[in-house]
Amino acid sequence: MKKAFDLLNEIGLSYEFHDYKKQGLDADTVKIWLEQIGQDLILNKKGTTWKKLTEQEQQLALSSQAELIQALTTHTSLVKRPVIHQDGQFVVGFDEEKIVESIGYIGTSKNIIPAFRYIAEPLKLEFYLSLILALKYGNEFA
């Protein structure tokens, strides 16, 4: 969650954090998530909470949507985090590129151009300055 908070703060996007581990999760919200996102993205089968459930409890949770909703509202740690909802789009789990893409932001230091992800910051700055000069004054100044 810290990575998601840091990214949203870096972008300057205001957000409302609902800590469903502490505040709970209502069945209607889970139903919407399952219908719009799907159980494969929402249900965290890799986490310790899922692994601590007995095989019978796991099978029961997967037997119907109602049972899965019951499991997700009872054991909120079964929900993959974060769930980010913006303008009708959802991003589940921390995926920086998907989060940035979903909110239409093209300005984080890590995601301006995906191919530059592994280039050192000073080189990126030099490239962008060269690009700006070339666009503004032509190639002779780049």
Side-chain angles (χ1 to χ4, degrees):
M1 294 298 298
K2 181 177 179 345
K3 288 181 183 179
F5 293 145
D6 290 346
L7 176 63
L8 295 173
N9 289 331
E10 177 184 343
I11 290 170
L13 184 71
S14 62
Y15 57 90
E16 180 182 324
F17 173 62
H18 177 86
D19 187 349
Y20 45 80
K21 289 177 119 182
K22 292 181 181 173
Q23 298 168 301
L25 194 54
D26 65 275
D28 292 335
T29 298
V30 174
K31 185 176 181 186
I32 290 168
W33 288 352
L34 292 173
E35 290 171 354
Q36 293 188 14
I37 304 166
Q39 95 176 25
D40 292 337
L41 286 177
I42 286 295
L43 179 60
N44 182 8
K45 290 183 180 179
K46 294 180 181 179
T48 57
T49 303
W50 178 257
K51 293 175 183 177
K52 286 182 181 179
L53 295 177
T54 65
E55 188 173 330
Q56 183 180 5
E57 290 172 316
Q58 290 176 356
Q59 288 179 356
L60 180 63
L62 298 174
S63 66
S64 69
Q65 185 181 60
E67 290 295 340
L68 184 55
I69 290 170
Q70 179 63 37
L72 292 169
T73 56
T74 302
H75 307 284
T76 57
S77 293
L78 289 174
V79 177
K80 202 175 288 180
R81 297 171 302 170
V83 177
I84 298 175
H85 180 217
Q86 168 97 7
D87 298 329
Q89 290 188 325
F90 290 91
V91 177
V92 179
F94 183 77
D95 183 328
E96 186 173 343
E97 288 183 24
K98 284 183 182 178
I99 293 170
V100 171
E101 180 182 304
S102 75
I103 59 175
Y105 182 79
I106 315 174
T108 68
S109 61
K110 297 177 184 143
N111 280 325
I112 295 175
I113 300 174
F116 294 156
R117 170 169 286 197
Y118 301 106
I119 298 175
E121 291 298 321
L123 294 176
K124 287 182 190 176
L125 178 61
E126 182 180 325
F127 171 80
Y128 290 121
L129 290 174
S130 296
L131 182 62
I132 290 168
L133 288 171
L135 290 172
K136 183 157 178 97
Y137 300 107
N139 288 337
E140 61 191 274
F141 293 100

